């Protein structure tokens, strides 16, 4: 996969994609390893975790590495992968505008750019979650009212969820682009029942034993409603998104942020 | 229907129930008049509204009067109906413990008691709303978690709705009776997304153009959920409850509060 | 727990209830063993499975036995438990009117009756499922229309589910008792989209990857809807119902069929 | 609005769009007239109905005509509008491949093409319905399982609804394009509960008093679900879509079929 800088030929998509997993001993990492081993056209060639030498990855023949580690090391991992000419799919949280910008700059270096290496950073690999968010943003300009309800298990310490915040922000941006007024709201008493305000969009957080991670976006016009709901019951639900990302990142040089950008939604 | 005090014989249920409507010119009153005119076994005998002389009702031959007037006059109406020996079905809001107690005392007067006159005061005549609330209170002791979501049109000025408050309070009372702990909640940040606290039960208020009046009660245990939802799209939905109340009040002397107490839910 | 016939004193409820599990090696049985071991006031005293000698149970000091075995042996197990003076909670399927009648007769024998032994046979221990079914039957007489949707994983071979059939039959019986007409339906073309007819109630079966076992009952009147939905995500969701049954069966001599009959739903 | 053929200049979008309504006396037509009268930038210049002379429309100065007439006359209306150089927005049903083709040919005539006249034929002007259908088709390739539930009032004579058929067909086409297998289904007994088969997609039709027109599309993968639901409570809900179509058709020469094609959903 390491391509000589002199070559102008982009790296072809390999028939079998060799995959290394970083954070392979974690709960998410183990699930990813299982999924890759079971997937047609993918081969698991390295399991890397804290304490291992990075040569395990570098010398594995991996075309793509999947990083589900921790915020403190994920950026360093990505730079090491780029140096090794390995595409990266990143599910670890904690990325900032600055850390993403450093990855962009690294990707722009002549040798890396010539190798057409790709990095995909996604805060969420759940197809249902990503599609719900994407569709909600697209529907936003066509409805007078919108609110978001997220529902999670009661052990969650933050509210509302990051996904719900992200969804509300995307909806708010789409409404602003379309020059829309805020959703109507005549509430005079009882504002504490009206949820959090995220960029002008009301977000309600429900905590219920037995739930995992769920989100519902409600749109309203006179005489009609549109509701988009997604349910994530198990982390195994992220695997179709991870596998899709592995297959897509090899054809997408540069930095891609968000799984929605590798989906065909036109 | 006026029964001589001397008689110990309770008033029999009439074959056709004559009905007077108080507040007949209001939106709700007009709908009630239409429903009574269309109902088998009921006959509309008086339409009474502000400015009319009460003799219109007293001399109408009404067995039952339905009061959808305003908080300022409804209690006086009920006392006048009791004096006239007419059963009362009351949908007007604004009743307090004290005003209800005064009705109980009036009903306990020998002449009124002998006439077996009944008064039914109901904050809500929607069967779906009343059943949702009743079932929720009964289910409450069997689930670790519970939250309430109410959804209304965006012109509503108070939050959460009276129905949702009432539902949450009934759930809280049932949980307290069963010696249950509060619903688990590990939230550390973002309490504003967690809704209003009604007796320890979280209540979320959604406002959306196109909605009318809706309530959802969510229960959770490990591995399971129970959801009870009711939707009121139109005030005509209250009519089956009003008609049921008219038919039941003639057989229930004394004060009954809440439509659920005339439903057969065992 | 074996009480001399001469004694008129009923067996007192033990402070700690000793429990034997029959079918302890099965998936459901193992889950039950774990739940009992974790429950306050219950002690697991025997694990019995195919091939074991029944003396394991008889001599265990068990007050209650929980049977999650197979249709071919569950009836014989119950009779053996009754002979041993042990209350039985039965979750195994396959019971018929005849096999239940034989249990009733055994319970009526003087020695067993004097011991006040109880048997609880329940087709479903899911509280959400049992409550949904019970509430649906009680609501049935108050709505013009009703339909049932059940949703399961796509590996299920029968449709509609037994729970949905049972729910529809209970709704149909309640409507018949109340003298109601069938739900209105003007369908002239496309009857194959209208679901199965169970005693006149339409039942729709959805099969979807990712689902487990879910049921929704929809009621409609002019201008209003009532929806009751239950979701079972995991067999662990049956444990609260099993534990409740274990605690209740010791106070309920004779045969009880259906968990709803030990719930306090008034 | 009639542009000389010689001119190469396309007709500019007028500041105020003059609108004629065909079928103005029908229920839908009256609602459209009210909506246009209330809309900024639109002016109602003609109400035309059966029995009126078409000169009412032709000489009205209308830039756009909205046709909510009946299947028997709608095609003739469109051709007459094209001859008059008036853009057409058509909500009347009954269009076939052949009748659409005849409109395309008329639009291709040099004079009409030069005038850049546009025709928009839409089977559904409900934004929630159109968006639900469009999003469902786009999501289709990302989920192993999919089923459609449509819910309507019980006076509907056909099942499943045209919208549900259309949705299922679009989903089936998207799945075929992506080379997907049918949704898994192990059903052996009870096929009548499994709904209608529309191009391999199961469609269930619920009929319930109190409902109007509703559709839910359910997608499932291992561990996750995506649900898209739309509710139409009132024909007034079609007005935002009609107004949008009126504003868009003047900028879109030729034939456009389906409101989704004038929405910005990228």
């Amino acid at each position: 996969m390491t391509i000589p800088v002199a070559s102008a030929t982009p790296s072809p998509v390999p028939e079998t994609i060799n995959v290394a997993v970083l954070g392979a001993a974690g709960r998410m990492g183990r699930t990813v390893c299982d999924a890759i081993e079971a997937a047609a056209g993918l081969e698991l060639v390295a399991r890397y975790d804290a304490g291992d030498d990075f040569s395990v990855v570098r010398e594995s023949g991996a075309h793509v590495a999947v990083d589900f580690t921790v915020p403190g090391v994920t950026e360093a991992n990505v730079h090491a992968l780029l140096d090794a000419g390995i595409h990266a799919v990143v599910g670890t949280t904690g990325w900032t505008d600055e850390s993403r910008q450093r990855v962009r700059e690294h990707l722009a270096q002549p040798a890396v750019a010539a190798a057409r290496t790709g990095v995909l950073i996604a805060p969420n690999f759940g197809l249902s979650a990503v599609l719900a968010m994407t569709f909600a943003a697209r529907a936003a300009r066509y409805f007078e009212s919108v609110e978001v309800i997220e529902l999670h298990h009661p052990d969650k310490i933050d509210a509302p969820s990051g996904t719900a915040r992200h969804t509300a922000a995307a909806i708010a941006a789409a409404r602003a682009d379309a020059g829309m007024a805020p959703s109507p709201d005549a509430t005079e008493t009882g504002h504490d029942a009206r949820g959090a305000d995220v960029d002008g969009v009301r977000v309600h957080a429900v905590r219920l034993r037995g739930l995992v991670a769920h989100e519902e976006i409600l749109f309203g016009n006179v005489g009609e409603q549109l509701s988009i709901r997604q349910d994530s019951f198990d982390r195994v639900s992220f695997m179709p998104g991870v596998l899709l990302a592995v297959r897509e990142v090899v054809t997408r040089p540069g930095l891609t942020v968000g799984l929605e950008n590798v989906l065909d939604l036109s």
Side-chain angles (χ1 to χ4, degrees), chain A residues 19 30 48 101 112 114 134 176 190 198 211 215 230:
Chain A
V19 186
R30 287 198 307 268
Y48 169 89
Q101 184 53 29
V112 180
T134 306
V198 177
L211 289 179
E215 187 185 28
Q230 73 81 216

Side-chain angles (χ1 to χ4, degrees), chain A residues 71-212:
Chain A
V73 306
T74 184
E75 187 190 345
N77 287 345
V78 170
H79 289 291
L81 291 167
L82 292 185
D83 287 334
I86 299 174
H87 305 283
V89 168
V90 182
T92 314
T93 58
W95 287 81
T96 62
D97 285 351
E98 291 72 27
S99 56
R100 281 190 292 262
Q101 184 53 29
R102 286 189 291 269
V103 169
R104 268 192 207 93
E105 287 162 10
H106 195 160
L107 283 159
Q109 290 175 8
V112 180
R116 303 182 61 81
T117 311
V119 174
L120 170 66
I121 301 177
N124 199 324
F125 282 96
L127 285 168
S128 61
V130 169
L131 289 173
M133 211 178 323
T134 306
F135 293 155
R138 293 184 184 183
R141 62 184 295 174
Y142 295 109
F143 292 89
E144 185 179 350
S145 292
V146 59
E147 301 207 358
V148 177
I149 303 174
E150 55 93 336
L151 312 94
H152 282 82
H153 59 86
D155 302 323
K156 186 169 177 60
I157 60 172
D158 59 313
S161 69
T163 300
R165 283 186 178 282
H166 198 71
T167 304
I171 289 168
R175 288 174 66 99
D177 276 357
M180 296 177 71
S183 295
D185 182 3
T187 307
E188 290 177 9
T189 62
H191 292 281
D192 54 337
R194 293 283 294 114
D197 180 322
V198 177
D199 296 358
V201 175
R202 291 282 159 183
V203 181
H204 309 269
V206 173
R207 297 292 172 263
L208 220 61
R209 182 68 73 211
L211 289 179
V212 183

Side-chain angles (χ1 to χ4, degrees), chain A residues 212-234:
Chain A
V212 183
H214 316 255
E215 187 185 28
E216 197 163 5
I217 306 107
L218 306 176
F219 294 100
N221 277 336
V222 173
E224 69 171 344
Q225 303 281 307
L226 177 71
S227 313
I228 302 174
R229 178 178 173 123
Q230 73 81 216
D231 301 271
S232 299
F233 302 120
D234 193 301

